[in-house]
Amino acid sequence: MEIMLSVFVLTALAILGFTAYVLLNFGAKEPRHRYRDLFLAIYGFTLITMVVVGLFAEWHIVFPWQELTAFYAVYGFAACVFLIYFAKGLRLWLPKEEDYYEKKEGM
Amino acid sequence: MIQWLHPGFILIFGAFLIPLFRGKWKQGYLLILPAAALIDVILMKMGVFGDIPISTWRLPFLEYELIFGRVDKLSFIFGLIFTLAALIVAIYALNAKSSVEHMSQYIYVGSALGVVFAGDLITLYIFWEIMAIASTLIIWHGGTDKARRAGFRYIMWHVAGGIILLAGIITYIGNTGSVDFNAFNLGSNSVYLPSLLIFIGFIINAAVPPLHAWLPDAYPESTVVGTVFLSIFTTKTAVYALARGFEGFDVLIWLGALMVVYPIFYAVLENDLRRVLCYSLINQVGFMLCGIGIGTALSVNGAISHAFGNILFEGLLFLCVGSVLYRTGPAKCTELGGLYRTMPLTTAFCFVGAASISAFPFFTGFVTKSMVIDATAGLGMAFVFLLLQLASAGVFHHAGIKVPFFAFFAEDANLNARDPPFNMLLSMGIAAVLCIFIGVYPYPLYQILPYPVVFEPYTAPHMIGQLQLLLFASLAFVVLIKSGLYPPEQRKINLDSDWPFRIAGAKFMRFVEGPLMSFAAWMDSNLKKIAADFSAYGEEKEERILIGVSVLLGLLFLASYLIIELIYGWIA
């Protein structure tokens, strides 16, 4: 039961840290929020604790690779990197000017 | 005493009275219609008009009997969410002035309800086509030249789909003699081909790649409200039809897996936020089709509950982006940014939608989508499981981070905007509250699902796994942006699977207008020359008689051929 309680608290922290850091402080030239470093710390803390807590959870294992330590963390990271790089590759030939069809269709 | 009232008919016939009202009366009437339909659906559940399942409103048609009202658990849950969503969007739509636009929207929703409660294939087809026409009108209300042309491309897809569906229905009725719309028996040879045609008709409306291009092409061209309506009903009606007819059809697993993965790359590339959401809609429907294809009680429950939840949170995201569009004009990543300061409430609602669609614990997506993913794991489908998890990370990337990030945060674009009017905020607020409520306390939703639910989303490994996946996906985004490797947003459009049709269509027309027409003109002038040479031999009168006689003979020949065919056919 303790593990459930800690997971609930961690979830709330994760959502807070992630939202506040990634959304609020990203892409801005000057710091947007005075607790920026605190949010970053919360974000980093949840990243690490999620992996640590995962070591103690009783996983429901179906596939052999689920036994890997922090499988979901590795997979989530790899998936997102793959996704962005693959999309970057598609960029070589999919994007066209906004009036592409107008010109091609001769209208 | 009316035993049962069709909620779709309330909306369809009620819609025709909308132009009679003005001002406040009109706004009230616009709310009463979907509210009445919602109460009507809820009363069905309460069993006032008999316990579900019921089937009522039978009308004779040709030699068949049409069933307009078939209520069981499956049609009830879709009827409930459709009317609920209609009410939420109706609140949002009160600012729109055009009565005709409201009419086409309500007829569209009514016909979607008609499909859901249809007990036979003919009724299904009638409402299916009304839905196609009404949705085209909604697209045309965008009012721009682009909208007009996108509407034509949209109706082409749906007419093609409708004809394939009709062909399937006719051959099905011909082979089996039954018009009932139930699960198709794919094992039997006489049913297989017709039901396959019906299946193709359904998956065109579900936007399965590569038959999906109409969706991101046409939906964003409609009005602010129109896009929200469109995003809810057409695809979910197709999901309902597939759940009814093709539960456990394993092709759907692979189509669903393709469907969850294909659009996420487009969502990364796309600049227009409404198009990003359209691709995310296709991806979400993929999870539902996958669940229907697996066909176990858990997976079908997951698919249906995901459809229910998706209407709320995808709708909420469309409402938020619509509000941005309503206040600022464009909805493109390259032109937006920093709106969290001026549109704080919209930002908050958008965040709820984003967290729900990314399936964070305590939000709707977590309690619905994980049923489908668990079902794939339970059956040992490793590849599908990994694809669905990849897509989950992808959803989080584009709908969870990209949409809120580029619209409300990112580089400040110094746009002069403020939160939308009260009614729009109210409708977003209702959707947001429902998203959180179902996420925290999903049991009322689980109770109305078609099969009994034995599933507990809030277990420690489940939550930890999901949070690891999401948080480390966000870490990848952070690392890539920090190191400058993330591809910047571009002011471009992206080619999709409709490219061959559009280019081939345009090329063919140019061929017809250019080479073919000049060839025809050349033939024409030569023939005229030959005819002139001939006519030089005779008087004008004889020439006329000659032409007359040859045409008459030709016609007589044709007519006799037809008559002989007819008699032959009659005898045989």
Side-chain angles (χ1 to χ4, degrees):
Chain A
M1 214 54 235
E2 290 81 42
I3 196 166
M4 267 322 276
L5 195 68
S6 54
V7 170
F8 278 137
V9 174
L10 278 172
T11 309
L13 272 180
I15 295 171
L16 173 79
F18 158 73
T19 324
Y21 177 66
V22 177
L23 294 182
L24 203 55
N25 292 307
F26 239 72
K29 287 207 178 75
E30 70 273 19
R32 274 217 188 112
H33 205 281
R34 56 198 162 126
Y35 296 128
R36 179 183 173 143
D37 292 343
L38 175 66
F39 291 140
L40 178 60
I42 294 175
Y43 180 52
F45 169 73
T46 45
L47 282 176
I48 296 161
T49 40
M50 271 306 146
V51 176
V52 175
V53 173
L55 298 178
F56 298 99
E58 284 177 32
W59 293 96
H60 173 64
I61 290 168
V62 185
F63 308 117
W65 26 262
Q66 279 175 315
E67 289 183 59
L68 279 173
T69 309
F71 160 74
Y72 288 97
V74 175
Y75 191 71
F77 188 84
C80 206
V81 171
F82 165 73
L83 169 70
I84 292 168
Y85 268 87
F86 197 82
K88 223 176 165 178
L90 290 177
R91 214 163 233 194
L92 295 176
W93 58 286
L94 283 181
K96 299 282 174 219
E97 292 308 318
E98 281 181 330
D99 57 353
Y100 170 80
Y101 279 119
E102 279 79 357
K103 278 183 188 155
K104 277 276 175 187
E105 287 168 1
M107 280 188 255
Chain B
M1 176 70 193
I2 304 170
Q3 286 183 326
W4 186 79
L5 186 60
H6 197 308
F9 280 50
I10 298 178
L11 288 167
I12 293 178
F13 291 110
F16 287 100
L17 300 180
I18 292 174
L20 300 180
F21 295 91
R22 288 277 174 278
K24 286 262 184 280
W25 289 98
K26 183 175 148 191
Q27 295 194 332
Y29 185 68
L30 285 172
L31 291 181
I32 286 171
L33 281 182
L38 177 62
I39 292 167
D40 184 25
V41 174
I42 292 172
L43 285 182
M44 284 176 209
K45 172 71 179 172
M46 308 304 275
V48 174
F49 303 124
D51 289 321
I52 47 176
I54 55 168
S55 99
T56 181
W57 278 32
R58 296 160 174 277
L59 295 180
F61 173 76
L62 301 178
E63 66 225 62
Y64 306 107
E65 192 174 48
L66 303 190
I67 304 165
F68 281 81
R70 184 247 311 259
V71 186
D72 56 8
K73 283 194 139 185
L74 185 61
S75 55
F76 170 75
I77 189 170
F78 273 90
L80 180 69
I81 187 61
F82 276 8
T83 44
L84 182 64
L87 181 62
I88 292 174
V89 189
I91 297 173
Y92 188 84
L94 286 180
N95 304 74
K97 292 279 181 290
S98 160
S99 291
V100 186
E101 187 184 349
H102 285 302
M103 273 170 73
S104 44
Q105 285 159 356
Y106 282 25
I107 292 171
Y108 172 59
V109 179
S111 56
L113 285 165
V115 172
V116 166
F117 289 110
D120 65 282
L121 291 165
I122 299 172
T123 315
L124 171 101
Y125 179 74
I126 295 167
F127 285 113
W128 197 268
E129 289 299 307
I130 298 174
M131 201 168 68
I133 295 164
S135 51
T136 311
L137 290 179
I138 295 178
I139 293 166
W140 277 336
H141 273 289
T144 57
D145 188 44
K146 270 178 130 177
R148 190 179 58 79
R149 285 166 37 201
F152 276 115
R153 292 194 294 271
Y154 175 87
I155 194 75
M156 274 196 287
W157 281 97
H158 286 270
V159 166
I163 288 170
I164 295 169
L165 179 64
L166 182 63
I169 290 174
I170 290 171
T171 43
Y172 180 81
I173 296 174
N175 285 1
T176 64
S178 146
V179 290
D180 293 343
F181 177 39
N182 287 313
F184 294 102
N185 175 18
L186 294 163
S188 127
N189 271 339
S190 61
V191 179
Y192 192 74
L193 185 70
S195 43
L196 214 58
L197 288 171
I198 295 175
F199 181 72
I200 294 171
F202 286 168
I203 64 170
I204 287 181
N205 264 29
V208 175
L211 305 173
H212 70 290
W214 52 271
L215 197 155
D217 178 31
Y219 279 8
E221 301 299 342
S222 183
T223 54
V224 170
V225 183
T227 307
V228 185
F229 269 109
L230 291 166
S231 75
I232 294 173
F233 296 98
T234 302
T235 45
K236 301 320 176 299
T237 314
V239 168
Y240 164 80
L242 286 166
R244 172 75 72 192
F246 296 94
E247 189 184 303
F249 186 29
D250 46 8
V251 176
L252 275 173
I253 303 175
W254 297 103
L255 287 179
L258 169 70
M259 210 170 163
V260 291
V261 174
Y262 179 91
I264 58 176
F265 300 107
Y266 275 91
V268 177
L269 294 174
E270 190 54 59
N271 184 26
D272 186 329
L273 283 179
R274 290 205 287 180
R275 290 216 154 82
V276 174
L277 289 181
C278 283
Y279 282 114
S280 119
L281 174 62
I282 297 173
N283 154 289
Q284 294 290 303
V285 175
F287 283 101
M288 299 166 208
L289 295 202
C290 212
I292 294 168
I294 294 167
T296 60
L298 176 66
S299 74
V300 174
N301 272 343
I304 307 302
S305 62
H306 197 50
F308 191 98
N310 176 267
I311 287 178
L312 292 172
F313 52 70
E314 188 93 49
L316 176 57
L317 285 173
F318 269 104
L319 292 174
C320 292
V321 171
S323 304
V324 171
L325 190 77
Y326 182 79
R327 281 300 189 211
T328 64
K332 293 184 175 167
C333 295
T334 45
E335 287 155 52
L336 292 174
L339 286 172
Y340 80 99
R341 233 190 298 269
T342 46
M343 302 178 81
L345 287 173
T346 314
T347 311
F349 294 139
C350 183
F351 177 66
V352 173
S356 301
I357 200 171
S358 335
F360 263 99
F362 307 131
F363 294 91
T364 302
F366 181 71
V367 301
T368 59
K369 187 161 73 181
S370 41
M371 282 180 166
V372 177
I373 298 179
D374 266 31
T376 60
L379 295 177
M381 302 174 176
F383 188 56
V384 178
F385 175 81
L386 285 178
L387 284 181
L388 294 189
Q389 292 287 18
L390 167 73
S392 300
V395 176
F396 176 53
H397 168 263
H398 66 247
I401 304 179
K402 182 171 175 169
V403 171
F405 183 69
F406 283 104
F408 300 105
F409 301 98
E411 197 63 46
D412 206 329
N414 289 319
L415 290 162
N416 189 13
R418 60 202 153 88
D419 269 324
F422 175 72
N423 63 314
M424 289 181 156
L425 288 174
L426 179 68
S427 111
M428 288 189 278
I430 296 172
V433 167
L434 284 171
C435 279
I436 297 174
F437 176 75
I438 294 173
V440 174
Y441 190 67
Y443 308 101
L445 171 63
Y446 287 177
Q447 267 183 5
I448 55 171
L449 289 175
Y451 298 103
V453 179
V454 261
F455 178 75
E456 175 53 52
Y458 289 108
T459 63
H462 197 190
M463 289 174 70
I464 297 169
Q466 181 69 6
L467 277 175
Q468 281 188 0
L469 186 84
L470 295 181
L471 285 174
F472 280 83
S474 76
L475 181 68
F477 176 80
V478 169
V479 169
L480 287 178
I481 280 209
K482 277 276 182 202
S483 55
L485 292 170
Y486 190 84
E489 296 303 317
Q490 290 176 331
R491 220 175 276 236
K492 296 254 172 96
I493 59 162
N494 299 298
L495 301 185
D496 207 334
S497 64
D498 57 345
W499 177 76
F501 302 108
R502 293 181 68 170
I503 298 302
K507 284 239 164 82
F508 177 70
M509 282 312 287
R510 229 173 297 155
F511 169 73
V512 169
E513 283 159 7
L516 199 62
M517 279 308 283
S518 50
F519 175 71
W522 178 76
M523 285 291 282
D524 211 30
S525 67
N526 279 341
L527 279 178
K528 270 186 192 152
K529 238 181 261 168
I530 295 168
D533 288 350
F534 269 110
S535 64
Y537 290 105
E539 295 292 326
E540 200 191 339
K541 210 175 179 183
E542 271 72 36
E543 198 185 325
R544 283 162 59 93
I545 292 168
L546 186 74
I547 293 169
V549 168
S550 35
V551 169
L552 196 65
L553 278 176
L555 281 178
L556 273 176
F557 176 73
L558 265 177
S560 57
Y561 175 76
L562 283 175
I563 289 165
I564 290 166
E565 269 293 294
L566 205 66
I567 293 169
Y568 178 77
W570 186 57
I571 292 169

